[in-house]
């Protein structure tokens, strides 16, 4: 699993062999809820064709639905615990690599 795209403090896109996962933070003003989701084949295809723009739209639509109290878009595609752990490990690895590259510049 690796982190392939991200929007700081909003969403992260991960990929393993053939699956894509979206970690998204929904800020409800008093609390932020984080969701780890499995992308559908249609969403993967849209990403391959349109790139980052498709993920930005997907995240925006999910947050808009959540603000209306509709969490079905997210609840129906939750990543399994082992997938969530792989996402967290990939983020940690990415963060460590980024910190290491910054230190090399200094």
């Amino acid at each position: 699993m690796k982190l392939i795209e991200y929007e700081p403090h909003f969403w992260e896109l991960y990929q393993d062999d053939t699956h894509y996962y979206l970690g998204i933070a929904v800020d409800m003003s008093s609390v932020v809820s984080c969701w780890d989701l499995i992308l559908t084949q249609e969403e993967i295809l849209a990403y391959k064709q349109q790139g980052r723009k498709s993920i930005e739209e997907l995240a925006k639509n999910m947050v808009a639905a959540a603000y209306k109290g509709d969490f079905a878009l997210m609840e129906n595609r939750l990543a399994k615990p082992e997938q969530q752990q792989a996402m967290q490990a990939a983020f940690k690895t990415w963060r460590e690599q980024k910190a290491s590259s910054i230190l090399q510049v200094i």
Side-chain angles (χ1 to χ4, degrees), residues 30-102:
S30 62
V31 69
V32 175
S33 61
C34 296
W35 299 78
D36 293 325
L37 313 171
I38 302 169
L39 268 60
T40 66
Q41 289 302 314
E42 290 176 351
E43 293 161 346
I44 293 169
L45 182 60
Y47 175 68
K48 288 179 178 180
Q49 292 175 343
Q50 302 170 18
R52 181 183 178 96
K53 181 180 177 184
S54 69
I55 302 301
E56 290 171 343
E57 281 299 311
L58 176 62
K60 190 167 80 172
N61 291 338
M62 288 184 172
V63 168
Y67 286 162
K68 294 176 185 173
D70 181 5
F71 293 89
L73 285 173
M74 294 182 283
E75 289 172 341
N76 295 329
R77 58 170 72 215
L78 293 174
K80 295 176 183 163
E82 58 271 12
Q83 294 165 327
Q84 293 175 339
Q85 289 173 347
M87 291 167 73
Q88 292 169 0
F91 184 82
K92 182 179 178 186
T93 299
W94 171 83
R95 187 180 63 217
E96 289 170 352
Q97 289 172 344
K98 186 175 179 181
S100 176
S101 67
I102 290 171

Side-chain angles (χ1 to χ4, degrees), residues 11-23:
W11 59 262
E12 299 142 9
L13 182 64
Y14 298 87
Q15 178 187 11
D16 64 13
D17 296 327
T18 58
H19 297 93
Y20 288 71
Y21 305 89
L22 182 65

